[in-house]
Amino acid sequence: MINPQELVKQTSDFFRFGKFEEAETLLDRTLKENPNCFEARLEQIRSALFQDNIDNAFQLIGEAAAIYPNDPRLVALQGIWFLEKQEFKGAEAALSWAAKVLPEDSNIRLNWAIASRNLGDIQKAEEEILKSLSLNPASELAHFEYSRILMLQGKIQDAVLQILKSIDCNIYFITGFIAITKYLKLKKDLDAAILLYKDAIRIAPNVDFFYGQLAILYEEKGDYAAALPYAQHLAETNKSYYDDLRVGIYTFLSGNAADAESIFLKCIKRDASKWDAYYNLGEIYLMQNKVDEANTHYQKAADLVNSLDSRPFNQLGVIALSKNDFKKAADYFQKAISINQNAFEPVFNMALTCKKSGDTLAVSDWGQKAFILAGDNVSKKYEVQKLLKSA
């Protein structure tokens, strides 16, 4: 029979890696062997709370309270339940009581800090989070909560340091990586973010999230060749349609159209009901000036996409415009705009269609809309200005 301390250690390891089914199997077996194992009941409640199963947690808390009324550990979990319900006054009351009985419990202090922060009592939140960290300096959750408190105090650099400490405590703490990536993107320091994830992969090469982030970061830099190996890793690991599709896109954008074509054809063979691979094949064929083949694949993509994406309709309009079929082009561009009113390309192309068809007044109207949609993109704004001047 497993002892309570070992049970908590095993379930905590399961929770850390998101293996909730394994944890629940272990807890069910433990309670069958020993129905009076209070730790197993507590871990069941924790499992429900971690999975945001609030109703189940409430039921489990009630069942445990009927057997063990006023146990401070149970009251502490009730406090977390209040947090999940965003009933912060109730959380504060439960956690402050539990902290008096169990003053050395770092998690109670951590959750009390969260309740205080949400109640706007930043001074109390900082006091409790510092107590939590003094009791358990290796808690990634406490360091992350401290970073949120420091952000509210305007101490940005100190907050970032705490996020980095949370990652140092637990390389699998995805929330910390997401936060630090967001900060580095705001600073436009993609290279630092890339180095962060490369270091993470060296330490934990089994985390798909790291590979996905590196692929996205290199994509944002426009370095598709560098993004490709990370996308390929995910495709080999997950065997999913969309991972294969991304490999095809990066391969195409890296300049290898032949291999990209082969990948997209395999995607269609795998699942012909999805529109994406047809659209990307259309892109390849249009680049190769195989207009009829491109049109066929864009049309297939448009048939499958319904109103989920404007791009197939925009490209069908581009082909129609190249053949001086202004009516058909305008219809396609209008369809694209109805799907996504904020897409620059179909609005600009509508202005171009009006110019070629001799509708000078409409050119100005669509051109002005395109100029606004161009935002901070200088090259797009230049193209719009050039079009308006020549109209």
Side-chain angles (χ1 to χ4, degrees), residues 295 315-326 328-329 332:
N295 192 78
Q315 294 300 79
L316 286 168
V318 168
I319 291 174
L321 183 59
S322 72
K323 296 178 179 180
N324 292 324
D325 191 338
F326 304 127
K328 184 181 284 188
Y332 280 130

Side-chain angles (χ1 to χ4, degrees), residues 3 54 78 82 90 104 164 168 190 201 214 239 252 269 288 290 311 325 329 337 352 372 382:
N3 66 56
I54 307 303
Q78 287 175 319
F82 278 121
E104 301 302 306
L164 291 171
D168 285 341
L190 296 182
I201 284 175
L214 275 168
K239 312 294 183 187
F252 175 47
K269 187 175 181 180
Q288 295 171 339
K290 298 176 181 177
R311 289 174 294 169
D325 191 338
I337 293 165
L352 189 60
I372 293 169
Y382 173 74

Side-chain angles (χ1 to χ4, degrees), residues 358-374:
D359 191 346
T360 307
L361 186 62
V363 175
S364 177
D365 185 35
W366 287 109
Q368 288 172 14
K369 290 177 182 177
F371 189 82
I372 293 169
L373 291 174

Side-chain angles (χ1 to χ4, degrees), residues 290-306:
K290 298 176 181 177
V291 177
D292 290 340
E293 289 181 59
N295 192 78
T296 297
H297 286 82
Y298 286 138
Q299 186 61 61
K300 184 65 176 178
D303 293 341
L304 293 170
V305 77
N306 295 319

Side-chain angles (χ1 to χ4, degrees), residues 37-86:
C37 181
F38 183 52
E39 284 75 11
R41 294 184 180 275
L42 291 177
E43 292 304 289
Q44 280 187 325
I45 297 167
R46 287 180 66 208
S47 178
L49 290 169
F50 278 137
Q51 297 177 81
D52 292 327
N53 195 338
I54 307 303
D55 292 339
N56 187 36
F58 180 76
Q59 180 182 336
L60 291 168
I61 289 170
E63 292 171 359
I67 306 171
Y68 307 96
N70 297 322
D71 187 289
R73 293 171 295 173
L74 187 56
V75 174
L77 287 175
Q78 287 175 319
I80 298 173
W81 181 82
F82 278 121
L83 283 180
E84 294 294 330
K85 294 277 288 182
Q86 297 189 356

